[in-house]
């Protein structure tokens, strides 16, 4: 197996005499050197705002920024003007809720989510419920993490169903959902679909022409790019019909004393100075992923996933949430008689970075009746040796805490 760890300066850190082992990729990914260099170059060589100053620095910055947009649009098969740079998944969903939601939803309209949503795809809709009285319904899941068919049928039978806002992959169960049939079904009923691809986009190729959502959102920082940048993809006609969300420079064609005219897409939704270096970094991160290639990424992750599932069976005090089919290398562990936070701390002392808690998915943890889990989330660059070290460390920590 090629050693891709070499690409990431973070992984060169030595912790407890051991090379840093990063099993927290679902929270945020490490950044490859090429992305860090691109961000540095922006500040060292360009450092200008975009779409503004008539000087060569501003022109260079604008070219880099717009090239990044093109990279994103090609990456997911969208048109350039359908790609809006935002601050991340959270910002993108809030934009849709406030702009599309407030303009199109009214009291009593139903918005359906799944039980497996991250809070980022729950709270904006709860806020809209408080504000205008929409009704939230949840697609229940089965113990293996799949969507419950009966519950889906009930949701689709609701005459007031207007929006389905649903995750492509669960950040807790590691389940990667086949959303194609669900989106087709929703669209045949005139229901708008928003896909939260924050986790899904980092593990499998994605094409909006095939998946065909109305909106799709993701963050740069989970995709090897800097934090504070993300994407809102929207179907052009929808974005055109939506009112602008934030107001400032950058999103206007003209401002008069008593009125303004918004700019064309995509600028209409990019008010103020954007995260220029973040967007440039995202463009470079996409090139980095493409160079490695999806075939390589998907096959390595399958090997890691299968190995992890096999090895974890040796630990009788560990149970994994969700099933084995359709799983990404992301595992939330329920630990018998051990607190996940204590274990995460002790793993940290051995140089293993994991996450403990409800991972911003409280309704899902409530469903499984667990307050907190220990999450190990891997990426293509992780190795089988790292899994061995993780499993052995878990065994030793169990002995230590119970002695
Ligand atoms: C499925 C999912 N949706 C949304 C988010 C929120 O992403 P961000 O904090 O980058 O806005 C996350 C982050 O963990 C996530 O896993």
């Amino acid at each position: 197996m090629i050693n891709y760890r070499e690409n990431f300066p973070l992984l060169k850190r030595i912790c407890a005499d051991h090379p840093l082992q990063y099993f927290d990729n679902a929270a945020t990914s490490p950044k490859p050197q090429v992305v860090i260099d691109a961000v540095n170059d922006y500040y060292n060589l360009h450092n200008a705002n975009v779409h503004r100053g008539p000087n060569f620095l501003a022109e260079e910055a604008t070219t880099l920024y717009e090239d990044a947009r093109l990279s994103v649009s090609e990456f997911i098969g969208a048109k350039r003007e359908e790609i809006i740079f935002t601050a991340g998944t959270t910002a993108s969903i809030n934009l849709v809720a406030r702009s599309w939601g407030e303009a199109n939803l009214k009291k009593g309209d139903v918005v359906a989510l799944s039980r497996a949503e991250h809070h980022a795809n729950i709270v904006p809709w709860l806020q809209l419920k408080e504000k205008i009285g929409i009704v939230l319904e949840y697609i229940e899941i089965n113990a293996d993490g799949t969507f419950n068919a009966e519950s889906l049928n009930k949701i689709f039978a609701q005459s007031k169903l207007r929006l389905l806002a649903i995750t492509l992959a669960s950040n807790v169960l590691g389940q990667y959902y086949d959303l194609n049939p669900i989106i087709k079904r929703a669209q045949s009923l005139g229901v708008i679909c928003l896909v939260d691809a924050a986790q899904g986009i980092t593990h499998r190729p994605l094409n909006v022409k095939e998946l065909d959502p109305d909106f799709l959102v993701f963050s740069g920082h989970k995709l090897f790019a800097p934090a504070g940048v993300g994407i809102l993809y929207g179907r052009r006609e929808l974005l055109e019909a939506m009112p602008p969300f934030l107001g400032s420079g950058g999103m206007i064609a003209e401002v008069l004393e008593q009125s303004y005219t918004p700019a064309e897409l995509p600028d209409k939704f990019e008010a103020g100075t954007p995260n220029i270096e973040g967007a440039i970094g995202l463009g470079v991160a996409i090139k980095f992923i493409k160079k490695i290639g999806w075939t390589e990424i998907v096959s390595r992750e399958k090997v890691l996933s299968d190995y992890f599932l096999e090895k974890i069976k040796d630990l009788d005090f560990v149970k994994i949430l969700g099933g084995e089919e359709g799983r990404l290398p992301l595992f939330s562990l329920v630990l018998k008689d051990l607190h996940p936070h204590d274990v995460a701390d002790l793993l940290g002392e051995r140089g293993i970075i994991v996450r403990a808690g409800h991972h911003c998915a409280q309704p899902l943890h409530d469903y499984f009746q667990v307050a907190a889990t220990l999450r190990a989330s891997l990426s293509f660059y992780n190795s089988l040796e790292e899994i061995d070290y993780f499993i052995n460390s878990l065994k030793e920590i169990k002995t230590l805490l119970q002695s």
Side-chain angles (χ1 to χ4, degrees):
M1 271 178 141
I2 299 175
N3 180 5
Y4 290 107
R5 283 179 55 99
E6 300 287 312
N7 293 281
F8 302 94
L10 178 74
L11 305 181
K12 298 193 173 127
R13 278 191 71 163
I14 300 293
C15 309
D17 294 331
H18 199 270
L20 184 80
Q21 181 167 324
Y22 194 75
F23 272 15
D24 202 13
N25 295 279
T28 197
S29 58
K31 314 305 171 217
Q33 188 64 54
V34 283
V35 168
I36 297 168
D37 289 347
V39 173
N40 277 338
D41 282 354
Y42 165 73
Y43 283 117
N44 287 333
L45 301 172
H46 313 292
N47 191 59
N49 210 329
V50 291
H51 305 140
R52 309 236 173 120
N55 63 66
F56 67 92
L57 293 183
E59 279 167 19
E60 288 164 2
T62 304
T63 303
L64 289 167
Y65 182 75
E66 290 303 329
D67 281 354
R69 194 191 308 276
L70 267 186
S71 297
V72 177
S73 63
E74 282 167 21
F75 189 57
I76 63 166
K79 299 187 195 110
R80 191 195 81 86
E81 62 276 16
E82 293 173 324
I83 298 297
I84 314 290
F85 282 118
T86 66
T89 305
T90 297
S92 300
I93 298 175
N94 276 276
L95 192 163
V96 175
R98 296 292 170 83
S99 172
W100 182 87
E102 288 187 14
N104 291 280
L105 298 173
K106 55 182 189 314
K107 192 169 188 289
D109 281 347
V110 174
V111 168
L113 315 172
S114 85
R115 173 73 64 186
E117 300 309 314
H118 184 281
H119 294 166
N121 198 25
I122 301 176
V123 182
W125 308 112
L126 285 173
Q127 289 173 322
L128 218 52
K129 174 183 154 109
E130 282 176 2
K131 201 163 179 184
I132 58 177
I134 57 166
V135 174
L136 293 195
E137 298 275 352
Y138 288 84
I139 302 164
E140 293 301 336
I141 55 159
N142 302 311
D144 66 358
T146 54
F147 295 138
N148 180 281
E150 203 180 312
S151 163
L152 254 181
N153 288 343
K154 271 197 199 141
I155 299 254
F156 278 124
Q158 305 246 5
S159 62
K160 290 199 168 179
L161 179 63
R162 299 284 174 263
L163 174 78
L164 185 64
I166 199 165
T167 194
L168 180 58
S170 162
N171 69 319
V172 173
L173 305 169
Q175 184 79 31
Y176 186 95
Y177 294 103
D178 175 13
L179 293 184
N180 268 87
I182 298 176
I183 292 177
K184 279 203 176 69
R185 192 167 167 191
Q187 284 170 347
S188 71
L189 298 168
V191 173
I192 296 291
C193 293
L194 178 147
V195 171
D196 175 356
Q199 295 296 338
I201 191 131
T202 68
H203 298 282
R204 306 262 168 96
L206 189 159
N207 187 305
V208 290
K209 285 197 203 85
E210 286 160 22
L211 190 62
D212 207 23
D214 297 290
F215 298 107
L216 182 133
V217 300
F218 60 91
S219 301
H221 71 100
K222 296 184 198 290
L223 196 63
F224 309 107
V229 69
I231 296 297
L232 164 63
Y233 156 81
R235 209 187 277 287
R236 186 183 178 144
E237 338 52 284
L238 282 175
L239 291 175
E240 270 171 350
M242 279 158 56
F245 175 44
L246 299 176
S248 176
M251 50 70 74
I252 43 87
E254 185 183 45
V255 180
L256 303 174
E257 272 188 30
Q258 301 297 335
S259 64
Y260 77 96
T261 311
E264 297 289 317
L265 290 174
D267 300 356
K268 174 178 160 184
F269 291 106
E270 293 183 12
T273 302
N275 181 346
I276 303 164
E277 72 278 25
I280 294 169
L282 177 54
V284 173
I286 285 173
K287 290 197 179 96
F288 170 77
I289 293 166
K290 280 178 143 175
K291 201 166 162 202
I292 292 164
W294 280 119
T295 313
E296 170 80 344
I297 292 175
V298 172
S299 73
R300 280 180 73 112
E301 291 192 352
K302 170 97 174 78
V303 171
L304 291 170
S305 211
D306 289 349
Y307 190 73
F308 191 101
L309 286 169
E310 201 46 46
K311 285 284 162 180
I312 206 80
K313 287 181 185 146
D314 291 345
L315 308 185
D316 59 3
F317 59 97
V318 176
K319 193 175 137 293
I320 293 190
L321 287 191
E324 296 194 0
E325 290 300 308
R327 187 182 258 289
L328 300 174
L330 188 166
F331 310 90
S332 293
L333 312 180
V334 183
L335 307 172
K336 191 163 177 280
D337 302 330
L338 296 174
H339 201 288
H341 286 91
D342 296 339
V343 178
D345 276 351
L346 291 169
L347 286 168
E349 285 177 14
R350 289 159 189 250
I352 305 175
I353 308 299
V354 291
R355 177 94 169 253
H358 55 51
H359 321 301
C360 298
Q362 232 181 314
L364 185 60
H365 277 73
D366 289 349
Y367 166 82
F368 282 105
Q369 297 179 332
V370 281
T373 52
L374 183 89
R375 184 178 72 185
S377 55
L378 284 63
S379 180
F380 72 92
Y381 67 80
N382 289 119
S383 67
L384 302 180
E385 292 73 29
E386 287 178 325
I387 295 176
D388 288 338
Y389 182 55
F390 174 77
I391 300 280
N392 286 335
S393 297
L394 272 185
K395 276 187 202 157
E396 286 167 17
I397 289 169
K398 159 94 172 156
T399 311
L400 182 82
L401 287 178
Q402 297 202 323
S403 57

